[in-house]
Amino acid sequence: FSRGKFVDFPLSPLNLLRNFGVFTFSKAAVEVLKSRLQKNKRHLNFETFALQAYGPTLARRFLLNYSEKLWGLPCTKLSPDIAGKRMKGLNLKTFIKEAFSGNKAKTEHLDGSFYYPDRGIGGICDKLAQFCDTKNIRLHSKVTKVFHDSRGISAVEINKNNRVNLLKKKEESAVISTLPLNDLLQMMEPLPPEHILRLSKKLKYRNVILMAVLLNTDKATRAATVYFPEADYPFTRLYEPKNRSTIMAPKEKTSLILEIPCQKDGRLWNMAEEELKREILPQLLKTNLINEEQIIDTLIFRMV
């Protein structure tokens, strides 16, 4: 969603022509073609990478602002590796193919599919739990210490008072942790060397606020996900779960989920719920995707 219009993503030359107009599209196309003819050089940050790879017009409109919102840092301090692969289809071959084949080539360029559980992403966790046998799963349990002998993890402490020994059997050869790396290192027993601990404390993680907007309408968008690259919008994207699975909302009802990345010590993260709604909802209404009369309720979820 850019400057009041929906633009295909991954970017499609044919769609860009319709949204940009001939002059801006031609300028962007020349920049992309120039970038493909230039010798690739080693980039120190994401900004220089994006400007060379896609040209100033596309990079500044779709990539740089969005990346700064998502990661909370200027693009000059972000690694080129955050680019991913979503823009790779925007090349000379695609420009020529769409110019002559029109919508057929555009569809081929954007084609793709993904699996989504009927009742939402939580279905993946439910299947994992079934596979592991639910009696082996400890809920409401916080890992407070991790014991090791420098060769492997031997035990974990849960809730500061319950030690669970691991690796009792030969087939139990690995422990997988999804804890933030800095937290994991700080709770290891014995502790890692001091210089490792100092480095780990420099790691920062982004939190995200999810705002669920429940709506009295059958559908709000045609897309599963809509991205918002402009700095004016505090959310980076929204998704409509019902467009991924019709079971995700009753008939004649739907919902939108807004993603708002932020720091744990930031202004938005520490706002009261009602204050947060008063700040975010007018920004959503400004897009004209929905109107205020359609809103049934809004819910806030803070994800660490």
Side-chain angles (χ1 to χ4, degrees):
F1 188 84
S2 174
R3 301 182 187 178
K5 297 179 180 179
F6 286 107
V7 180
D8 286 342
F9 189 79
L11 296 176
S12 156
L14 188 65
N15 183 257
L16 284 176
L17 175 60
R18 289 172 179 162
N19 281 285
F20 274 13
V22 174
F23 177 78
T24 304
F25 174 82
S26 300
K27 179 184 175 185
V30 168
E31 291 172 355
V32 171
L33 297 182
K34 276 185 177 179
S35 75
R36 295 301 183 262
L37 296 174
Q38 290 176 357
K39 184 179 178 181
N40 287 333
K41 61 182 180 180
R42 184 173 176 270
H43 295 283
L44 298 178
N45 59 63
F46 178 70
E47 181 171 285
T48 60
F49 164 79
L51 289 171
Q52 184 191 328
Y54 305 110
T57 301
L58 295 181
R60 290 183 177 133
R61 182 156 175 178
F62 298 115
L63 298 175
L64 299 181
N65 280 338
Y66 182 85
S67 299
E68 288 194 10
K69 285 201 298 181
L70 181 62
W71 296 101
L73 287 172
C75 288
T76 52
K77 293 186 177 181
L78 294 174
S79 166
D81 294 338
I82 69 166
K85 300 178 180 179
R86 297 298 298 276
M87 301 283 282
K88 287 195 173 179
L90 196 69
N91 51 37
L92 178 58
K93 180 181 177 182
T94 308
F95 267 85
I96 295 171
K97 196 173 180 181
E98 287 196 12
F100 288 98
S101 302
N103 278 322
K104 183 177 183 298
K106 172 179 174 289
T107 302
E108 289 174 0
H109 170 52
L110 294 173
D111 262 354
S113 61
F114 57 86
Y115 292 101
Y116 190 80
D118 286 342
R119 297 185 180 277
I121 205 71
I124 293 177
C125 296
D126 294 338
K127 286 296 182 183
L128 283 170
Q130 290 175 25
F131 180 81
C132 296
D133 190 346
T134 53
K135 70 175 183 291
N136 294 322
I137 297 174
R138 297 173 185 242
L139 301 176
H140 310 293
S141 301
K142 183 177 181 180
V143 176
T144 49
K145 205 170 280 290
V146 177
F147 299 93
H148 68 99
D149 60 4
S150 297
R151 292 173 298 176
I153 306 297
S154 57
V156 295
E157 178 189 80
I158 294 174
N159 299 333
K160 295 186 177 180
N161 59 15
N162 184 11
R163 178 167 173 152
V164 180
N165 292 322
L166 304 175
L167 308 182
K168 296 177 184 176
K169 302 174 184 177
K170 288 185 179 179
E171 60 266 25
E172 294 173 343
S173 58
V175 175
I176 298 172
S177 169
T178 58
L179 292 165
L181 187 56
N182 48 5
D183 289 344
L184 175 63
L185 291 171
Q186 297 289 333
M187 64 178 66
M188 293 187 80
E189 181 68 41
L191 284 169
E194 183 58 36
H195 71 280
I196 298 295
L197 292 175
R198 283 199 303 271
L199 287 171
S200 74
K201 288 177 182 177
K202 293 182 179 180
L203 288 173
K204 293 182 179 179
Y205 288 83
R206 289 285 266 173
N207 291 0
V208 64
I209 298 171
L210 300 182
M211 177 180 285
V213 184
L214 312 183
L215 298 167
N216 190 21
T217 183
D218 185 59
K219 184 170 285 194
T221 73
R222 294 190 305 165
T225 307
V226 181
Y227 295 84
F228 292 82
E230 292 166 7
D232 293 347
Y233 299 104
F235 36 88
T236 48
R237 66 178 186 173
L238 66 78
Y239 55 94
E240 188 167 357
K242 191 176 181 181
N243 287 349
R244 299 178 179 186
S245 169
T246 55
I247 299 175
M248 295 299 291
K251 288 183 179 180
E252 307 303 323
K253 303 284 190 294
T254 191
S255 63
L256 295 176
I257 315 298
L258 307 181
E259 294 186 359
I260 309 159
C262 53
Q263 294 302 125
K264 195 172 183 179
D265 56 356
R267 183 179 68 89
L268 290 173
W269 182 261
N270 292 294
M271 270 188 180
E273 285 195 8
E274 291 306 314
E275 187 181 2
L276 189 61
K277 292 174 186 177
R278 285 196 297 271
E279 175 147 340
I280 302 300
L281 279 176
Q283 300 296 325
L284 174 61
L285 293 171
K286 193 169 70 174
T287 67
N288 293 320
L289 294 175
I290 63 169
N291 60 60
E292 195 165 5
E293 291 71 32
Q294 293 172 323
I295 299 175
I296 300 169
D297 200 2
T298 53
L299 305 169
I300 301 291
F301 302 90
R302 287 179 165 87
M303 315 295 287
V304 179

